[in-house]
Amino acid sequence: MIFRRLGGALLSLMLLAAPVAAQVSVLDQAQDNVGVAPPPPSPVCGTQPLAIARMSWPSAALLAEIHAQILAAQFGCEIKVIPGDLAATGSSMGSTGQPAVAPEMWINRIAELWNPAIEAQMVRPATPSYAEANFEGWFIPDYVAGAHPELTSAAALAAALPTLNGGTKVRFVSCPPDWACAVINRNLVRAYGLGNLVDIVEPANRFEMDTLIGEAVSRQEAIVFYYWQPNAVLAQFGFRPLDMGPYNEANAKCLASLSCPSPAPSAFAPETVVTALAEWVFTDIPTIAGYFQRSSLPLAEMNGLLAQLNLPGATIEGVADRFVAERGDLWRQWVGNDVP
């Protein structure tokens, strides 16, 4: 009996001592970990060079160089700018996730590549490349707009045109006759009832188109003309876009036909132009994805950059340098508060 009681007392003492031993063990481990650095955070830009596609046309090439400079300077990224084009870059991003970035992807033109890549979760649009969505339209010079503040839309031309050129027809500078926009413009002139009010001029090529517009402006001639953005011409002179009204798919389809029996107004077909990122950018380097999600550029700003590019001796890299040096008011909004 006595031994039983002694055994029970010893067992009780051992049980009471167990928590104390556990605490001592935890303290010992904590002391052992003193001075051990926590694991470093994941690199903001990843562990490999970040590849940006530089397309062959000037606006996309400028965007590639601008983003490359900002990411290198502000985030410390190692950047690799590589040649690209719509089809090859879209295909590569959809199959391999490289390049990581395509700053000006006209996805309507490669829908057969883009849509499967989206479904496979290989690519994702970060943001529209440009703040505005209308890339084609009709324009008037700013001196015409100033004299006729009521002339803000294509629909208002029928009332305004008889007063613009002393009662004679106003020249409408369209695009070359073998371009699709030439057919659309002819039908739009009919749709707005302007057939007896304008002379449609279809230049032989892009150079002649720009020359006709520039000469008319130098003479302060009242003209209406078709153009698209982004484009240097629209920054070299002062112009006002005319509101083309809403886009109507059925009307637009007829406007694009040589045999449209009864053309009705419509805006030009919309284009979806985005900064495309490989899906892994969102998951692996979200800070960089956030930068691109804020990086839409006003079309007027790109028009100005393209005008600079037309100056003697100008280069893509040089114009990008100037933008980064002078337009921090724009691009610092893209960086936001994410700088490490």
Side-chain angles (χ1 to χ4, degrees), residues 62-333:
L62 281 166
L63 286 179
E65 293 296 337
I66 286 169
H67 289 311
Q69 290 191 26
I70 295 171
L71 290 173
Q74 299 298 312
F75 296 93
C77 296
E78 183 181 354
I79 302 297
K80 181 168 62 175
V81 177
I82 63 174
D85 64 48
L86 282 179
T89 299
S91 176
S92 179
M93 292 180 77
S95 58
T96 69
Q98 291 293 342
V101 185
E104 191 182 301
M105 188 70 83
W106 295 68
I107 61 177
N108 288 8
R109 305 183 187 186
I110 55 165
E112 72 284 357
L113 297 171
W114 178 261
N115 292 337
I118 286 285
E119 292 172 5
Q121 298 184 340
M122 291 295 292
V123 298
R124 196 194 307 180
T127 191
S129 301
Y130 300 104
E132 300 84 9
N134 296 325
F135 294 95
E136 297 179 86
W138 290 3
F139 296 82
I140 56 174
D142 56 359
Y143 50 83
V144 174
H148 297 270
E150 78 285 356
L151 185 49
T152 60
S153 67
L157 284 169
L161 285 177
T163 68
L164 294 188
N165 207 26
T168 61
K169 287 185 176 183
V170 171
R171 284 201 301 169
F172 178 91
V173 180
S174 184
C175 48
D178 56 339
W179 294 12
C181 48
V183 176
I184 295 172
N185 286 329
R186 285 185 225 124
N187 284 328
L188 276 172
V189 165
R190 292 169 55 204
Y192 285 116
L194 308 178
N196 295 323
L197 300 174
V198 300
D199 278 327
I200 298 175
V201 180
E202 294 178 348
N205 50 51
R206 162 78 181 278
F207 176 77
E208 185 180 334
M209 184 179 180
D210 292 352
T211 300
L212 287 170
I213 295 168
E215 289 175 348
V217 171
S218 67
R219 295 191 299 266
Q220 296 283 288
E221 177 186 344
I223 62 166
V224 181
F225 66 95
Y226 161 88
Y227 226 91
W228 64 91
Q229 302 186 76
N231 210 295
V233 166
L234 297 177
Q236 290 170 331
F237 308 104
F239 298 116
R240 175 195 285 176
L242 295 174
D243 183 355
M244 303 300 293
Y247 174 72
N248 182 292
E249 185 174 2
N251 291 355
K253 185 176 180 179
C254 188
L255 290 170
S257 171
L258 285 169
S259 58
C260 181
S262 301
S266 170
F268 285 84
E271 287 270 15
T272 304
V273 185
V274 303
T275 297
L277 302 184
E279 182 65 30
W280 65 263
V281 176
F282 290 92
T283 56
D284 295 0
I285 47 174
T287 296
I288 302 306
Y291 162 86
F292 281 109
Q293 287 176 307
R294 296 184 290 269
S295 67
S296 289
L297 187 71
L299 274 170
E301 191 69 27
M302 178 54 77
N303 292 342
L305 294 175
L306 294 171
Q308 292 178 34
L309 195 58
N310 282 348
L311 297 176
T315 64
I316 294 287
E317 293 79 7
V319 173
D321 287 343
R322 182 174 175 182
F323 174 87
V324 174
E326 298 179 357
R327 296 313 309 269
D329 57 314
L330 280 176
W331 62 257
R332 289 191 189 281
Q333 299 174 50

Side-chain angles (χ1 to χ4, degrees), residues 19-46:
V20 175
Q23 292 174 16
V24 171
S25 175
V26 170
L27 287 172
D28 287 343
Q29 291 175 10
Q31 290 172 355
D32 291 342
N33 289 331
V34 171
V36 176
S42 300
V44 170
C45 308

